[in-house]
Amino acid sequence: MAKNKIKKFNENLTFHNLMQIEYLDLMEFGCERKGKWNTFFKNEHPIILELGCGKGEYTVGLAQKHPENNYIGVDVKGARIWRGAKSSQELKLENTAFIRTKIEEIDYYFAQNEISEIWVTFPDPQPKSYKERKRLISQRFLDIYKKFLKPNGIVHLKTDNLPLFEYCLEVVETGGHKLLASTKDLYNSDIDEEVKSIQTFYENQYLNQGVKINYLKLQLNV
């Protein structure tokens, strides 16, 4: 393992805003903050998740723009999530937290109705059909989100991958979910500026290459 990664993994252990629980401990003891995230943030503000947050660009960016909300970035990659956790501390953001875990395990961290909104930004498209269950807007994952998302809670998706986007539209329709907004060319659409105001590192690369960004916004059928 590269020395730089080891350094980041070790520094992750010192961040007060980064939670890491070993799988066996999570299965046996659960997460002590489940249903009590308001005590960590020391307020009752809405909590918004960024799933597969990578370096946490959305978590950090939205937290800066909206101090009236709390934001939690979730990713399994320690060297990536290190950037978001470190940036949040450097910026002294009190309305951010990060969880290093697999998205499949995310419902162990949150109680019913604890989350107001979810962002899924440029996820792995998992193009092979046998990996459909790994797509973060598959019905399998939407069922997981239902366990902790508030009624009428919002789910956002941004992706450069058109087949994934079209698959997600099918999931919304067949699952009876409510499609609130949809476009295959976000930056040439009349979608509100909030969605366009923060761009990830990879999103900037795609845009510079002339790649169109797909976006959808939905409410789960509860």
Side-chain angles (χ1 to χ4, degrees), residues 179-191:
L179 185 64
L180 301 177
S182 170
T183 178
K184 293 181 179 180
D185 189 1
L186 176 61
Y187 291 94
N188 286 306
S189 74
D190 59 0
I191 301 290

Side-chain angles (χ1 to χ4, degrees), residues 46-51 62 69-72 114-119 148-150 153-156 194 215 217:
I47 300 174
I48 297 167
L49 300 185
E50 182 191 3
L51 300 180
L62 289 171
N69 295 327
N70 299 315
Y71 294 89
I72 302 176
E114 194 166 20
I115 300 302
S116 297
E117 197 167 331
I118 293 173
W119 283 85
F148 52 78
L149 192 63
K150 290 183 177 180
I154 301 297
V155 179
H156 304 265
E194 176 71 16
Y215 169 76
K217 177 180 179 181

Side-chain angles (χ1 to χ4, degrees), residues 105-139:
E105 300 161 8
I106 193 61
D107 57 309
Y108 288 91
Y109 291 86
F110 302 107
Q112 186 177 18
N113 299 332
E114 194 166 20
I115 300 302
S116 297
E117 197 167 331
I118 293 173
W119 283 85
V120 180
T121 52
F122 300 93
D124 185 336
Q126 304 290 353
K128 297 186 183 299
S129 59
Y130 68 87
K131 288 192 173 183
E132 176 182 344
R133 284 172 53 81
K134 291 183 175 291
R135 298 171 190 164
L136 296 186
I137 307 292
S138 65
Q139 188 59 53

